Amino acid sequence: TNIIENIIDIISDPVKFEPELTTVITDEVNGFTALNKTREIATTIINNKTYALVTAFDDSAVQIIDITNPNTPIAVATTVDNLNGFNALGNAQGISITKIGAKTYALVTSYFENAVQIIDITTPSAPIAVAAVSDGVNGFSSLSDTLGIATIKIATKTYALATSYSDDAVQIIDISNPSTPIAVSAITDGNNGFTELDGANKITTTIIGTKAYALVSGYDDNGIQIIDISNPKTPVAVAALNDQTNGFTGLAGANGIATIVINAKTYALVASYFDNAVQIIDISTPSAPVAVTTITDNNNGFTELAGARDIATTIIGTKTYALVSSQADSGVQIIDISNPNAPVAVVSFQDGVNGFELAGAYGINITNIKDKIYALVASGDDNSVQIIKLYEPLNITRTVSEDANNQDTVGQPITTIGNP
């Protein structure tokens, strides 16, 4: 009877999290050589295999990992600064993956070299340095201390948007031809209505209606800048959000940012480093964003939000979840945000408990592998990547496809506008 009841319970509530540690990938173990001070993670599907690419700040490198079998991840290749034509990976930080034509590319920001490195990863075991753009060269004016990066397709072209921490700016780059990237425009704090780009940090893109938007966290401004990038040559300041203004109470040290659609509304979620919090914002009308709620550490069951660094979202069944990496707590907090007005603490993981290695938890990514949902966390102080299985469905058959950016489409927004 208990077995039958348990099966019925799982089928009737297929979104129940029962997370478990899958494996830990550690620097200088099993062929992994480029994980010193891990920072950001991106995942992609190439030829039916799933790969993770991890930036290593102190190694000035990117580690490419085959995670098709998450229990036995394989070191596939590394790209290291000043080797094999790679010249813009010094203090590698942000990473984004996109597909252009028949090829797959990774774009990596170099904090030390004020640059963006473009890498052809179509053959993951043999990555190729395609091009690099540097601050002050060929019209690029806003790449000093680059941190975040995002890509988006608008009409027939593909663009990269890179944040500059020291320039308080966003550089927009046409990468439609990856070998000859073009400086399209630069957005700088204090000009043309842009007011929340001081210490520009993380960036994400989204489509709302017929328009394309970028959301940028201003770490030093304690705010978020919303930008209409439908015409990348003439980006428009749409809205600016600042901590302790208009009901926003969780934006101090604004850091990781993600967007998700819930019940036909678009929300932004911001990890706040200094507030130890997550701010949920309704951006369905980008020009009039609304503070929905603030989730703070050590309140209402939330225990792993100190120094909130990055955030990722996923949809399982009928529920929507956010996962937040906590650098100061060395942990991960899972939140049910199905009702954004009443988020619920689901479960949390902490470094050194039950085998988890999460010291200095930094970047976080969620991916689907053979109908199972996994989280990957870059543990900067452990020089490692923690893989956590979040969910495994029962009696559910589903096909996972790749979107136009060669990304697993489960729980991920598709950032395409106009003609594909």
Side-chain angles (χ1 to χ4, degrees):
T1 302
N2 288 337
I3 294 175
I4 293 173
E5 287 176 351
N6 288 339
I7 292 173
I8 291 172
D9 180 55
I10 291 171
I11 293 174
S12 64
D13 183 14
V15 297
K16 184 179 293 183
F17 269 107
E18 295 182 352
E20 61 182 48
L21 185 152
T22 300
T23 191
V24 180
I25 305 167
T26 306
D27 198 36
E28 303 302 334
V29 178
N30 296 324
F32 294 96
T33 59
L35 293 174
N36 192 4
K37 247 359 173 203
T38 50
R39 280 294 183 255
E40 307 288 347
I41 303 174
T43 57
T44 190
I45 299 170
I46 300 174
N47 295 328
N48 297 315
K49 289 189 174 184
T50 303
Y51 295 89
L53 282 78
V54 185
T55 58
F57 191 83
D58 283 2
D59 274 333
S60 297
V62 176
Q63 179 79 60
I64 302 177
I65 310 169
D66 182 342
I67 57 168
T68 308
N69 182 347
N71 295 286
T72 57
I74 300 169
V76 174
T78 59
T79 64
V80 182
D81 198 39
N82 296 321
L83 289 175
N84 301 317
F86 293 97
N87 58 4
L89 291 174
N91 294 144
Q93 178 81 16
I95 186 165
S96 182
I97 297 175
T98 190
K99 187 172 182 178
I100 302 173
K103 293 188 175 182
T104 305
Y105 296 88
L107 289 88
V108 181
T109 60
S110 166
Y111 184 82
F112 177 74
E113 285 167 332
N114 310 317
V116 175
Q117 180 81 63
I118 302 176
I119 309 169
D120 183 344
I121 59 166
T122 308
T123 302
S125 60
I128 300 169
V130 175
V133 298
S134 301
D135 196 44
V137 180
N138 296 324
F140 292 96
S141 59
S142 299
L143 291 173
S144 182
D145 295 337
T146 47
L147 283 179
I149 191 160
T151 56
I152 188 169
K153 295 181 186 296
I154 301 176
T156 60
K157 293 187 175 183
T158 304
Y159 297 88
L161 294 88
T163 63
S164 165
Y165 182 81
S166 293
D167 283 331
D168 305 324
V170 176
Q171 180 79 62
I172 301 182
I173 311 166
D174 183 345
I175 57 166
S176 303
N177 182 346
S179 61
T180 55
I182 300 169
V184 175
S185 61
I187 306 164
T188 54
D189 196 46
N191 290 304
N192 301 316
F194 293 97
T195 61
E196 297 295 327
L197 292 175
D198 190 5
N201 191 352
K202 296 297 288 293
I203 185 168
T204 191
T205 57
T206 190
I207 306 298
I208 302 176
T210 60
K211 292 189 174 183
Y213 295 89
L215 285 83
V216 183
S217 57
Y219 186 79
D220 294 336
D221 260 335
N222 302 320
I224 298 294
Q225 184 77 62
I226 302 178
I227 310 168
D228 182 343
I229 55 168
S230 303
N231 183 346
K233 293 181 179 180
T234 56
V236 179
V238 174
L241 321 178
N242 193 261
D243 196 45
Q244 304 304 319
T245 304
N246 298 321
F248 293 97
T249 58
L251 292 176
N255 211 302
I257 187 167
T259 61
I260 188 76
V261 176
I262 303 172
N263 295 328
K265 290 187 175 183
T266 304
Y267 294 88
L269 295 92
V270 182
S272 166
Y273 186 83
F274 292 122
D275 273 332
N276 305 321
V278 174
Q279 179 77 65
I280 301 180
I281 311 164
D282 184 344
I283 59 167
S284 302
T285 302
S287 60
V290 178
V292 176
T293 190
T294 303
I295 306 165
T296 54
D297 197 41
N298 295 324
N299 286 300
N300 302 315
F302 295 97
T303 60
E304 298 296 323
L305 292 175
R309 180 60 76 176
D310 201 9
I311 192 163
T313 60
T314 188
I315 299 170
I316 303 176
T318 61
K319 292 189 178 181
T320 305
Y321 295 89
L323 278 75
V324 184
S325 59
S326 163
Q327 188 175 18
D329 268 336
S330 294
V332 172
Q333 181 76 60
I334 298 181
I335 310 168
D336 183 343
I337 57 167
S338 304
N339 179 354
N341 295 282
V344 179
V346 178
V347 70
S348 61
F349 322 122
Q350 191 174 48
D351 184 54
V353 179
N354 297 322
F356 286 96
E357 293 190 19
L358 294 169
Y362 208 97
I364 191 165
N365 183 279
I366 299 173
T367 192
N368 180 297
I369 304 174
K370 298 179 180 177
D371 286 328
K372 298 176 183 178
I373 306 294
Y374 293 87
L376 293 88
V377 185
S379 303
D381 293 343
D382 275 331
N383 302 325
S384 68
V385 175
Q386 175 77 71
I387 302 180
I388 307 165
K389 185 171 75 174
L390 299 175
Y391 174 72
E392 180 177 359
L394 294 179
N395 300 327
I396 297 175
T397 302
R398 183 164 52 82
T399 300
V400 177
S401 61
E402 297 175 14
D403 67 20
N405 285 329
N406 202 35
Q407 299 292 298
D408 178 355
T409 62
V410 178
Q412 303 294 329
I414 299 175
T415 53
T416 303
I417 186 170
N419 298 321

